[in-house]
Amino acid sequence: MSVRPDTATAAAPTADADPACATAAPLPVLGRDVSVPLVTGGEVTYAALDYAASAPALQRVWDDVAAYAPYYGSVHRGAGYLSQLSTDLFENSRQTVAEFLGCREADQVVFTRSTTDSLNLLAGVLPADTRVFVFETEHHASLLPWEQRDDLTVTYLDAPHTPQQAVDTLEKALAHREPYGPALVCVTGASNVTGELWPVRELAAAAHAHGARIVLDAAQLAPHHPVDIADLDVDWVAFSGHKLYAPFGAGVLAGRADWLQAAEPYLAGGGASRTVARREDGGVAVEWHTTAARHEAGSPNVIGVYAIASACKALTEAGFDALVARERELIAKVRAGLAEVPQVKVLSLFGDEADRVGVLSFVVEGWNSSHFAAALSAEYGIGVRDGLFCAHPLVRTLLGSDPQDPGACGAPEGAPGERSLNAIRVSFGAGTPDEHVERFVRAVKELVSDGARWSYRTEEGRCVPDRG
């Protein structure tokens, strides 16, 4: 969504994307021309291959936000022109997101801070005594919120090794639940560790057949594939703007309104309340909104919300068919390159033939993963991630380790060359030029065959170049 007069604004039109960069990637991103120093000397254009953590902002998004910034004003209830303009922008963004997600007529779109915030919000509105079913393979954002309430019962399901096994495992667990009451299934759309796509439509059918509802963690799916609530038949979808090429710390929870309307507000405060009056006993009586505003107390992040809407429009206009086809080519290029290195083991639940997004994790025989990631950065200007990726149970399962083995979200304490419980993750998307993945594959081969050209040491838990 651009700031234009036909949306009650008078902002300048959005700047066009740089045509010189269009051939490098379908959607130009900020930072595409940033140079970084190499420890071996000289500089190189930075290869951002950590999209699964935070994707770089689209140039289109940045331009839209910049065009709106001079017209920034308070949202809702303001009498001034800029307040009315910003309110229109905020609510139009809600409609854009609803269209992007294929929301049903009665669905609500609630703006949050992130996927984590969205799922914690949902955990807070579940009816008492709801039974929650979640696979151990989930990101911590969708694995942990349910245990924060004493009146919910959480069942953790073992990691499946095929999509069909996931469906069968869920059906069995739901069929044997006692007592039979409200139930929620939480499942990822695409793994943040392996990139593998989960059988969301089939899991939703299984959930509904057994009287349960289902929430889709689409944090890793939405930037790569279309997400349609009605088509997938899920009850809610959660995702983050910062993984969808939109910075500024906003997220979305979209879906069925009934549990959201029946629960107390996620946060108490202005915006969530319709009326507040003193009671005779000295307290206050509050009537809460029944719209999405019920769970959006406080001053909203209008710029973050507008950034999400802009990214949704950019992805839609680019066309997911073309984006998916091109990403599959990059995935094939990375997988083929890694397959030529016997020392590399790519992590997978569902096997080599599984469909996936541009997220792959691997380990390298004889290398500490933190050391390997540090060398990719320092010697090749390539940014990847190492660790357990905030999905500890899943990575432990994939590495065949004991559940009690030590490990952390970030780098391990092990020194370069020592084995440790962590892996390396490379991730990419619509803003990734071919050269970045080609440089990555070449760097992996050179590091494995020739070793690092620099010495490294552990400093505050991170593996860093030793600069003497």
Side-chain angles (χ1 to χ4, degrees), residues 114-139:
S114 60
T115 307
T116 301
D117 196 36
S118 296
L119 294 172
N120 274 272
L121 189 165
L122 185 60
V125 306
L126 297 183
D129 301 319
T130 296
R131 296 184 64 90
V132 179
F133 296 83
V134 55
F135 286 93
E136 67 173 354
T137 48
E138 293 291 307
H139 185 281

Side-chain angles (χ1 to χ4, degrees), residues 266-280:
Y266 180 49
L267 297 173
S273 56
R274 184 190 299 273
T275 62
V276 181
R278 290 294 300 273
R279 297 194 308 257
E280 290 185 2

Side-chain angles (χ1 to χ4, degrees), residues 373-393:
L376 285 173
S377 174
E379 300 179 27
Y380 295 91
I382 298 170
V384 297
R385 182 153 295 230
D386 65 281
L388 300 180
F389 319 124
C390 290
H392 293 193

Side-chain angles (χ1 to χ4, degrees), residues 388 392-393 395-407 419 421:
L388 300 180
H392 293 193
V395 179
R396 287 190 172 99
T397 295
L398 294 172
L399 294 179
S401 67
D402 186 279
Q404 303 304 316
D405 283 349
R419 184 189 182 278
L421 181 60

Side-chain angles (χ1 to χ4, degrees), residues 133 174 177 180-185 204 206-214 235:
F133 296 83
L174 290 171
R177 78 180 190 269
Y180 189 89
L184 177 73
V185 176
H208 292 153
H210 292 280
R213 298 188 182 188
I214 184 169
D235 298 281

Side-chain angles (χ1 to χ4, degrees), residues 63-130:
D63 291 343
D64 280 352
V65 168
Y68 162 65
Y71 302 88
Y72 175 85
S74 64
V75 175
H76 300 141
R77 298 175 302 283
Y81 177 78
L82 297 191
S83 290
Q84 294 179 42
L85 183 154
S86 294
T87 298
D88 286 348
L89 193 79
F90 187 79
E91 294 303 332
N92 286 340
S93 295
R94 197 188 306 275
Q95 181 59 35
T96 297
V97 172
E99 293 170 359
F100 179 77
L101 294 174
C103 287
R104 298 153 298 215
E105 184 176 355
D107 286 341
Q108 285 188 350
V109 173
V110 180
F111 290 118
T112 66
R113 293 177 297 175
S114 60
T115 307
T116 301
D117 196 36
S118 296
L119 294 172
N120 274 272
L121 189 165
L122 185 60
V125 306
L126 297 183
D129 301 319
T130 296

